[in-house]
Amino acid sequence: MLERPAELLVYESDGLPGYHRTPSLAVFPASADEALAVVRELAAHGVPFVPRGAGTGLSGGALADGAVLLGLQRLKRIIDIDPVRRVARVEPGVVNATLTKAATKHALHYAPDPSSQTACTLGGNLAENAGGPHCLKYGVTLNHVVAAKVALPDGTVVELDADDGGYDLLGAFVGSEGCFGVALELTVKLTPNPERVVTLLADFTSIDDAAQTVSAIIATGILPAALEMMDQATVGAVEASIYAAGYPTDAAAVLLVEVDGAAAGLDEDVQAVDGICRTHGARDVRIATEPAARAKLWQGRKKAFGAMGRIAPHLVVQDAVVPRTKLPSLLARIAEIGAVNNVRVCNVFHAGDGNLHPNIPYDASDRAESERVHAAMKQIMQACIDAGGTITGEHGVGLDKLAYMDALFTADTLDGMCRLRDVFDPARRANPGKVVPVRYCRERRPNRQMVDGGGQMVEGDGGAGAGLREAATVVDRGGRA
Amino acid sequence: MTQRPSSLAELTSVVSEAAACAGALRLVARGTWLTGGARVEATAELLQLDAFSGIVEYEPGDLTITVGAATTIAELDAVTAAHNQWCPLSPWGTDDGSVGATIATATPGPYAHALGLPRDLVLGLECVDGTGKVLRPGGKVVKNVAGFDLVRLMTGAWGSLAAITRVSLRLRARPAVDETWVVEVGAAHADAARHALRRSATPPMACEEFAGQLLVRIAGNAAYVQAARTALRAVGDAERADDARWAQIRAATRPFRARAPMAEAVRLLDAGVKHAFDPANILNPGIMG
């Protein structure tokens, strides 16, 4: 348990720069039983809390503003791996890549692979419904979790199972960003390692050509394991860094395409992708089949965010999705928004899914620049919504995207989301103030008709102590409907 | 009596009025699922949703489609086939059933094992909950984590939380080669043979057993399918069959299972969910058991 301000400072932010919130206390249980005891103690005293894994999240979702931070990274036991059923039971603090490493001897792996996979935890992945480059073919966390043992915020333990015949509460829990409770144990699918993997790097002199190529590849029926795009700004940053992967720095954009699966037919798919790239204007296509060569092509992509640290001290990592066919026009619009606001946008993203990551390196101490970055981000988000897209594909809403939720969803839809949260956490103590703006959460009382108009819930903006006092008020109102 | 709203506004007022007088409604789109699963209370008035039909938005390049919930599986298949695409939803039952009922009942089909369950294929939806409110969770893009997941909640809720009016779905491009085969394996070895095929280097797109035979669909590029044929022959005598066999086997399959008893804590959460979205208990009352 940490309570000294200097110790708590470590936990005042997550992977997203620009937000700082200090928890009143940080608790790190060493076992699932201890975690449950902590949850029950918090419930007994009506104290709000924020579950946290490795703190690599990019939406400010793991920030605890006066609430108690419940760190789960010590719960890192892989309980068992069943190579026949191809599932693993794990505690929430197991690091994503650690599970894959443990499954390797069975020629299996855990498929969702966020860029932070060497640090992020499976519990955090579950809370955020994390994605990653290979989700294009293999699906996101939702598609890989088969059961979860969950401590509800009131201390009740429930086993959520995709197959229990009731409502899909497991599906509802995945991606609930720590607002529905704490996963104590997860059962996840393991995926057989592909027989063969080939990685292609195609470079283009026009970003529009690269974007058109993405749709053309998908249209053929070939489903690459990954289909990633990096623009010139990103390639420049990567190549100037220690992660240099040999990307052509004069290209307007590069596509990283991975084709995997059965050895039979793979070469035909690789040739088809190669051909499509060339007919759509690729200057060159490099093909890597050996693990070392493939890893080098991937290294630049996986470390791109880090490499952007060379450009400026801070980095906004953005996340939005547009329909794939809108990629060319959206990329043009993003360039325009960057130019108008005089900020440097580096695009590195999951093109096959239409999942954009327009990132902006900047100096947070420069107030004028920070404001320009903020304005540009707002315009980019609006452009994605206008194109029929969404404000987050894999990072979650957290604190960072709260402001865009009502541009995307109607008030009734947001209220419906709050109603779902209230089933799991009627006292609204778990990760308060995240995901849905508080003004859309109508106040509900047990055994009464819904009250119209703006209810209040805990929004921990009063620093340490205030959250606890507010929690007490909420508990007075609370109780399960 | 039957209620047959022709617009979203009419539907919300039908539901709101029913909620006000606690008048139960039994949701029907195409009526092909009426005998499936648990029975709805017999006093419930029929709520016909067949007006919510047709293609709302289809951009083939995005490999997504948005349809009215009462659109039939047959129409979904025909419209997407014209662009050499398809939706792997193809549920157990007839193609006269609706997309909305498939999502509401989360009914899988022969392609679910390889290509995803309904919960994996639905991207977003529009629905009217038991209080008469229109909810539009999710979206039409293939990756989306904005907000709490009412899409998964409504999928498989059997219309007991909301009447689904629109559904956005993930599509796939049709494979270059797509063949249906029948493999003689014998009833005693069918499970083992199916397991072996699914775990082979060239897993099939679908594999179902009936009367000692496996009906197998293998799809991909020419070289893949050639290797898959070899794998088929390794488990039994294999013969090409008509693709129409899939529609036959789907129509003949009743997918519904008896529900396992639920743990008390889960049952309480389910009751909380029902109360949150249908507090007057008017939508398909009793259907979730």
Side-chain angles (χ1 to χ4, degrees):
Chain A
M1 192 164 87
L2 302 177
E3 50 187 328
R4 290 213 305 273
E7 294 170 326
L8 292 171
L9 263 185
V10 177
Y11 297 96
E12 68 164 15
S13 51
D14 60 6
L16 177 78
Y19 288 92
H20 304 277
R21 303 281 192 279
T22 314
S24 57
L25 205 66
V27 191
F28 302 93
S31 68
D33 286 345
E34 278 188 26
L36 181 59
V38 171
V39 170
R40 287 183 170 158
E41 195 63 19
L42 292 166
H45 294 89
V47 178
F49 66 96
V50 179
R52 179 175 168 123
T56 55
L58 293 165
S59 62
L63 302 194
D65 194 353
V68 170
L69 191 131
L70 178 55
L72 296 154
Q73 70 266 46
R74 293 173 71 198
L75 275 62
K76 53 184 181 192
R77 204 157 52 95
I78 296 174
I79 300 163
D80 53 50
I81 290 179
D82 182 341
V84 178
R85 285 180 56 230
R86 291 180 175 165
V87 292
R89 275 196 307 148
V90 298
E91 290 187 331
V94 171
V95 169
N96 177 303
T98 304
L99 177 58
T100 284
K101 207 171 160 191
T104 301
K105 60 175 173 286
H106 306 294
L108 299 170
H109 68 286
Y110 179 67
D113 60 338
S115 289
S116 57
Q117 73 187 119
T118 53
C120 64
T121 65
L122 293 167
N125 292 173
L126 174 83
E128 300 297 318
N129 192 8
H134 289 82
C135 291
L136 174 62
K137 178 171 179 178
Y138 294 101
V140 294
T141 304
L142 171 77
N143 314 112
H144 294 271
V145 177
V146 291
K149 181 172 155 190
V150 168
L152 297 181
D154 71 1
T156 311
V157 174
V158 288
E159 306 260 0
L160 304 179
D161 190 315
D163 251 351
D164 73 4
Y167 297 123
D168 188 355
L169 299 179
L170 179 66
F173 191 87
V174 176
S176 60
E177 303 198 21
C179 297
F180 288 7
V182 180
L184 300 175
E185 190 183 306
L186 294 71
T187 307
V188 299
K189 287 184 200 170
L190 297 172
T191 304
N193 295 342
E195 222 176 0
R196 255 191 91 203
V197 188
V198 177
T199 308
L200 299 91
L201 183 86
D203 75 272
F204 294 83
T205 51
S206 135
I207 196 160
D208 194 56
D209 285 350
Q212 304 284 1
T213 306
V214 172
S215 284
I217 291 170
I218 300 286
T220 59
I222 297 169
L223 186 55
L227 178 38
E228 304 280 305
M229 195 193 291
M230 283 167 277
D231 68 3
Q232 188 163 26
T234 304
V235 168
V238 168
E239 288 306 311
S241 78
I242 57 161
Y243 308 119
Y247 299 157
T249 51
D250 60 338
V254 300
L255 287 183
L256 193 61
V257 191
E258 188 149 288
V259 183
D260 76 0
L266 201 87
D267 286 335
E268 287 76 358
D269 280 357
V270 169
Q271 281 159 23
V273 170
D274 183 26
I276 292 164
C277 290
R278 290 181 195 278
T279 55
H280 282 78
R283 271 190 319 195
D284 188 27
V285 181
R286 275 195 253 162
I287 298 177
T289 53
E290 296 310 311
R294 291 198 310 101
K296 192 171 181 198
L297 288 186
W298 268 108
Q299 174 174 275
R301 166 62 187 92
K302 290 258 176 184
K303 302 291 184 189
F305 294 170
M308 286 171 199
R310 293 180 58 85
I311 300 175
H314 300 96
L315 178 71
V316 183
V317 178
Q318 198 45 278
D319 171 40
V321 187
V322 295
R324 205 178 283 118
T325 52
K326 299 282 186 0
L327 275 180
S329 60
L330 238 298
L331 288 168
R333 176 80 187 113
I334 288 172
E336 201 179 288
I337 290 170
V340 167
N341 291 283
N342 188 27
V343 295
R344 182 169 182 183
V345 184
C346 303
N347 289 291
V348 45
F349 63 100
H350 315 307
D353 290 317
N355 189 177
L356 295 158
H357 291 312
N359 305 322
I360 306 183
Y362 72 114
D363 181 354
S365 66
D366 180 338
R367 201 181 181 118
E369 188 183 18
S370 299
E371 276 167 20
R372 292 201 312 274
V373 169
H374 187 70
M377 280 307 175
K378 220 172 142 180
Q379 290 159 25
I380 290 172
M381 283 293 118
Q382 192 58 51
C384 292
I385 295 172
D386 293 344
T390 187
I391 57 171
T392 172
E394 55 184 13
H395 293 174
V397 176
L399 277 179
D400 191 44
K401 300 287 177 71
L402 272 177
Y404 307 114
M405 286 294 274
D406 59 2
L408 191 62
F409 296 114
T410 63
D412 281 342
T413 305
L414 293 171
D415 177 65
M417 292 177 184
C418 293
R419 280 186 267 158
L420 178 58
R421 181 203 336 230
D422 286 351
V423 173
F424 285 87
D425 182 22
R428 299 176 180 174
R429 282 189 303 108
N431 212 358
K434 308 281 171 59
V435 185
V436 178
V438 293
R439 63 184 177 281
Y440 292 101
C441 300
R442 293 189 185 94
E443 190 169 342
R444 274 170 281 277
R445 292 163 203 273
N447 309 318
R448 281 241 213 132
Q449 286 286 58
M450 244 193 304
V451 182
D452 264 352
Q456 288 293 313
M457 64 172 285
V458 185
E459 188 171 37
D461 53 0
L468 302 187
R469 284 195 300 278
E470 282 187 62
T473 7
V474 169
V475 167
D476 285 342
R477 291 202 300 261
R480 178 163 299 200
Chain B
M1 216 186 98
T2 299
Q3 296 277 4
R4 194 173 205 152
S6 62
S7 67
L8 197 59
E10 278 182 34
L11 174 59
T12 58
S13 66
V14 167
V15 174
S16 301
E17 280 164 29
C21 65
L25 296 168
R26 181 182 193 175
L27 277 46
V28 184
R30 297 289 160 191
T32 57
W33 295 117
L34 287 177
T35 57
R39 296 300 177 90
V40 177
E41 284 173 17
T43 53
E45 191 174 25
L46 282 190
L47 174 56
Q48 270 288 352
L49 296 163
D50 55 348
F52 299 90
S53 177
I55 308 304
V56 178
E57 192 180 346
Y58 179 27
E59 174 58 65
D62 293 330
L63 283 171
T64 60
I65 192 167
T66 302
V67 301
T71 306
T72 61
I73 296 293
E75 186 180 355
L76 175 67
D77 287 349
V79 168
T80 51
H83 293 272
N84 205 28
Q85 297 181 353
W86 70 303
C87 179
L89 212 50
S90 300
W92 301 118
T94 82
D95 285 342
D96 302 327
S98 71
V99 171
T102 305
I103 298 304
T105 58
T107 304
Y111 312 109
H113 187 270
L115 303 177
L117 294 161
R119 80 200 280 270
D120 303 314
L121 300 173
V122 57
L123 305 170
L125 48 83
E126 175 189 79
C127 60
V128 176
D129 74 7
T131 70
K133 294 276 193 307
V134 179
L135 309 178
R136 292 192 187 91
K140 57 180 188 180
V141 286
V142 297
K143 225 168 153 192
N144 193 351
V145 294
F148 300 128
D149 200 344
L150 299 177
V151 178
R152 249 43 63 185
L153 187 72
M154 298 304 166
T155 304
W158 284 78
S160 67
L161 305 176
I164 299 173
T165 49
R166 269 185 193 180
V167 179
S168 296
L169 295 163
R170 186 190 287 275
L171 302 176
R172 296 178 85 98
R174 285 209 166 271
V177 186
D178 176 0
E179 297 177 351
T180 296
W181 289 76
V182 170
V183 191
E184 295 290 344
V185 289
H189 300 108
D191 276 352
R194 178 160 71 170
H195 186 80
L197 285 180
R198 282 181 174 170
R199 295 291 167 98
S200 72
T202 50
M205 191 161 77
C207 181
E208 293 297 327
E209 188 238 332
F210 63 104
Q213 295 182 319
L214 293 183
L215 186 64
V216 186
R217 192 159 191 166
I218 50 179
N221 65 30
Y224 181 96
V225 170
Q226 192 181 357
R229 276 187 218 124
T230 309
L232 286 188
R233 294 195 179 101
V235 298
D237 284 340
E239 220 173 89
R240 267 303 282 280
D242 197 319
D243 288 349
R245 290 290 294 276
W246 289 104
Q248 292 161 11
I249 193 173
R250 280 173 43 225
T253 305
R254 307 310 302 169
F256 304 112
R257 296 173 298 174
R259 292 197 174 95
M262 240 183 249
E264 181 61 9
V266 177
R267 200 192 58 76
L268 274 175
L269 278 180
D270 269 23
V273 168
K274 174 71 175 173
H275 183 79
F277 292 91
D278 182 21
N281 191 27
I282 55 164
L283 298 179
N284 282 353
I287 204 165
M288 289 299 278

